[in-house]
Each structure stands twice: as structure tokens, then as C-alpha cells.
Amino acid sequence: MQTLKLIVREVRQESPLIRSLRLAREDGGALPAFGPGAHLKVSVPGLREPRCYSLVQLTPEAGRFAEPVEYRLGVRLEEASAGGSRHMHGLAVGDTLSVEGPKNDFPLHEGPAGDEPVVLIAGGIGITPVASMAAALKSAGRAFELHYSGRSRDQLAFLPELQALAGDALVPHADDDASCRFDLKALLDAVNPRQHLYVCGPKGLIDAVIQEARARHWPDAHIHFELFATAAPQAGDQPFEVELRQSGRVLTIPADKTIVDVMEEEGCDPMYDCKRGECGVCQATVLEGEPDHRDYYLSDTEKASGKIIQICISRAKSARLVLDL
């Protein structure tokens, strides 16, 4: 991915917790093309890892994707921010950002206008890539329905623009309003597994969508998702040992760090990309021990075999793992 230096041209408060940023080249020149679902990797001062933010497009003009003169990001201020969202919310017009991209790990499948409607589901800040999908589908004349859920209606960022874009295809949901609360089971009962389903938002929402869709015999090839959160400790997590068989090194993985984290601290050079257990880049062979799978990449059969693990997010049920690394 190429590195770009962009200047902040506009900052807008889209909801109590979400701000949007319009970014452009200082000379106003064209930016690299992107597709719906793409993101930028933003370098944040003081943080080792860049932060990923999806590109938002809310007008159905193909040129906005193919020859953009600006990028738009939506950033939610996180309560437990490690510095990324706080930095982004502190930016003002005229500030500059160093970014890499665009990169797309959440692409929209190709399809003719006559296909059955695409089902789009967004929870909270998950609207950012999903809104771009709605714009691309509208531009291509493809049918869709967009379900957008938040804790309350005032938490639904970009709502006026989404209403103008999607019209009756947009269905807003608010947790605090029983008349429009999101009912996932009812939604999936009303559609069918031939349709493509896209979801982005909190982990709980994504897990529920995957579980309910599979229970209704939805093919995995029609279930598309993107999780913003990286690995986080869970209740009951315990330290465990990892032996790297090829080098003979033994590492202790504490409850609040991943295998990849510790390998990097110890001077190893593990391969990884998403750090969310979605891409499969960090996969390793398990020679001994029982993995605790927390990824979204492996099939149920692969997880049950216990022979491979995604080291960016998964842990161990046994006290020790031996990996072919």
C-alpha cells in the first residue's frame, strides 16, 4: 500500500460520539481509487500500530469511488481508547495525517441489477463501510435493504444523508424504542439464503448474525462481515506457554496479550495482517496442545481438528502449545 500525506479539510460531529473527517491532498489532486468496504491505515503519534478507519461514501456517483478528490472517514470516540480515536477526535481543519491505503478486506461481491436484494446490516460505527456499499449498489442499480441499529436514534450518524441515499431501503433501529428495535431473527426469517448478507459492527452483533444465518442454512459464501475490534481479554483468560519448535524458544503469553504481541516483544517477526482473526495470514500449525479458537477464518471442521491456529487472536485451552514456527 502506498503512503499518503493528507490534510483535514472538514470536521463534522455526526452524532454524540462520531465525527467525520474529510481528507484531501494539499494540492487538491486526485486520490487513489477505492471500492466499498475499503479502509485507510492511519499513523497515530505514540502508537506502534496504525489504526484502520473505513472510507465513507454517501452519494451514488461512480466517480466518487474511481477518481476521488477527497476521502471521508467516520470515527467513534471509544471509552477505552488506547489513543487512536482520541487523537482523531482532536484533529482540526488544517492538520495533516499520514495514511496507507486504501485497502479492502471487506469487498462487495459483483452481481447484476436483477439479483435478489443485498441485505446490509450495520451496528453503530459499523455503518461506515456499509454506507459505501449502499452507495455503490445504488449507483449500479442493484436492489438492497439497509438495517442500521444504534442505542438510540440520536446515535445514528449520517442519518439524513443515508435517508437521501437509500430512501425506503433504509430501516433505522434504536434499542431504546420498542417500535423500531432491531429484530435479527425476524429479519432473517423474511429473507432467504440466496441473498448476500453484509454486517459490520460490534462483535456481539456479528456473532449473532453469523449464528442465526448458519442456523437457517445460509452458505458461508453469502455471509460477509468485518469486525473493527482486535483481540481483547475475556473473563477467565489465563497465561499459557508457547514453544516455537523451529527455534526452540519458549514464550509465556499473559492473559492480556496475544501470541503475536509476545513474539514481537521477543524480537520474532511473525506474519500477520488484520489482528482480528479474519484474514488467515498469521495461521500456524499446532504440533501439541489444544487451541482456544477465537477467529472468524477457520471452518468448524478445521477448529475441531486442533491442528491449526490463528495466532493474532486465539489462545490455548491447555497449559502449553507447541507451534511449528
Side-chain angles (χ1 to χ4, degrees):
M1 293 187 292
Q2 59 187 302
T3 299
L4 304 169
K5 183 180 180 181
L6 303 179
I7 187 169
V8 178
R9 295 299 190 192
E10 182 187 60
V11 179
R12 287 178 51 182
Q13 196 74 35
E14 306 290 353
S15 76
L17 293 175
I18 295 175
R19 287 184 181 178
S20 68
L21 306 170
R22 293 185 186 272
L23 310 173
R25 285 177 41 170
E26 290 186 279
D27 62 5
L31 293 163
F34 69 99
H39 65 267
L40 297 179
K41 287 188 173 182
V42 179
S43 296
V44 177
L47 298 183
R48 184 180 64 183
E49 296 288 340
R51 295 298 186 259
C52 298
Y53 299 103
S54 294
L55 290 161
V56 186
Q57 180 53 255
L58 287 158
T59 56
E61 300 171 13
R64 298 290 185 95
F65 291 104
E67 298 178 337
V69 294
E70 68 175 17
Y71 290 147
R72 190 178 182 187
L73 304 179
V75 182
R76 183 185 190 277
L77 182 61
E78 301 293 341
E79 296 177 9
S81 171
S85 68
R86 284 200 306 272
H87 174 76
M88 298 295 283
H89 272 241
L91 293 171
V93 173
D95 289 340
T96 58
L97 286 173
S98 177
V99 310
E100 292 183 8
K103 185 174 187 292
N104 202 341
D105 297 323
F106 189 36
L108 185 65
H109 79 283
E110 299 291 332
D115 266 6
E116 295 198 59
V118 175
V119 181
L120 306 174
I121 301 174
I125 192 60
I127 190 60
T128 48
V130 173
S132 296
M133 292 179 176
L137 291 167
K138 181 88 171 197
S139 177
R142 296 171 60 190
F144 65 91
E145 54 184 280
L146 169 54
H147 295 263
Y148 181 19
S149 178
R151 293 179 180 176
S152 59
R153 191 176 180 87
D154 73 325
Q155 297 279 352
L156 299 179
F158 311 108
L159 195 55
E161 291 172 276
L162 287 166
Q163 290 169 329
L165 167 68
D168 292 341
L170 172 67
V171 186
H173 302 277
D175 294 345
D176 65 351
D177 185 346
S179 68
C180 63
R181 191 173 296 142
F182 184 49
D183 188 337
L184 173 61
K185 292 183 178 180
L187 168 60
L188 292 181
D189 286 341
V191 292
N192 69 78
R194 294 188 302 276
Q195 296 172 256
H196 281 263
L197 174 65
Y198 293 80
V199 57
C200 186
K203 183 178 185 297
L205 172 64
I206 292 173
D207 288 344
V209 169
I210 294 172
Q211 179 180 337
E212 294 294 337
R214 286 176 174 171
R216 290 163 176 77
H217 308 293
W218 222 286
D220 284 346
H222 283 201
I223 305 172
H224 313 269
F225 58 90
E226 184 170 55
L227 180 68
F228 282 147
T230 53
Q234 297 181 10
D237 281 352
Q238 298 292 325
F240 62 96
E241 284 189 347
V242 168
E243 178 186 335
L244 307 179
R245 178 57 58 85
Q246 293 180 24
S247 65
R249 300 186 66 176
V250 177
L251 309 177
T252 298
I253 315 300
D256 62 346
K257 293 183 179 180
T258 67
I259 298 172
V260 161
D261 289 338
V262 176
M263 287 181 68
E264 287 194 307
E265 290 174 0
E266 294 297 320
C268 304
D269 188 23
M271 290 185 61
Y272 65 85
D273 185 9
C274 73
K275 281 196 163 184
R276 299 186 300 269
E278 295 176 2
C279 69
V281 171
C282 69
Q283 184 169 297
T285 299
V286 179
L287 302 176
E288 296 176 24
E290 182 181 4
D292 180 4
H293 296 291
R294 300 185 182 182
D295 66 274
Y296 293 87
Y297 181 79
L298 298 178
S299 67
D300 290 342
T301 300
E302 289 171 322
K303 289 179 180 179
S305 75
K307 295 180 179 179
I308 47 181
I309 186 175
Q310 307 304 310
I311 61 173
C312 75
I313 195 167
S314 296
R315 298 183 62 81
K317 293 182 178 179
S318 54
R320 182 182 178 93
L321 287 178
V322 179
L323 304 180
D324 189 16
L325 292 173

